[in-house]
Amino acid sequence: MKKRRMGLFSKVVVAIFAVYCAMMLLVLQVQINEKRAMTEQLQQRVEAKRLSNSALSEAIDSELDSEAITRLAREKFGYVKPGEIVFFDVSP
C-alpha cells in the first residue's frame, strides 16, 4: 500500500510541475513578443533618425550661397542691412 501512495503523490507533484512549466512558458512567450514589438519600433525610430541625420549632414556639407546666409541672418538673428528700417505689425 505504501508504494502505491508514493506513486500517486509523485504523479501529482510531476503534474503540478508540468502545469507550472507550461504557464511559465506562456508568460515568457508573451514577454518575448512584447520585446520583439518594442525592438521593431525602436529600429524604425533609429532609421528615421538616421535619415534625418543624413539630411542634416547634407545640408551642412552643401555650400550656402549669400542669399541663404542673408535670409538666415534676417530670420533667425534679426539682422538688418545698414540704413534699413524694419517695421513690425503688432495689430491683431
Side-chain angles (χ1 to χ4, degrees):
M1 287 293 236
K2 287 185 180 183
K3 286 185 179 181
R4 191 168 199 187
R5 269 182 133 186
M6 283 304 251
L8 180 62
F9 179 73
S10 299
K11 289 178 184 178
V12 170
V13 169
V14 169
I16 291 172
F17 182 71
V19 169
Y20 172 76
C21 288
M23 288 175 38
M24 290 305 296
L25 284 174
L26 289 174
V27 168
L28 290 174
Q29 188 63 38
V30 168
Q31 289 177 351
I32 288 170
N33 289 338
E34 289 174 355
K35 297 299 180 186
R36 282 184 182 159
M38 185 184 303
T39 301
E40 186 176 321
Q41 289 175 350
L42 290 174
Q43 285 176 346
Q44 289 173 354
R45 287 177 57 192
V46 165
E47 186 61 30
K49 292 293 182 183
R50 191 173 287 139
L51 291 174
S52 174
N53 286 344
S54 173
L56 289 173
S57 293
E58 288 177 14
I60 289 172
D61 292 340
S62 68
E63 288 187 31
L64 293 175
D65 58 352
S66 63
E67 183 179 313
I69 293 172
T70 303
R71 187 180 72 247
L72 182 65
R74 287 176 179 269
E75 292 174 0
K76 288 254 186 191
F77 304 112
Y79 289 161
V80 295
K81 292 182 180 180
E84 186 177 32
I85 300 173
V86 178
F87 295 97
F88 295 100
D89 185 15
V90 293
S91 63

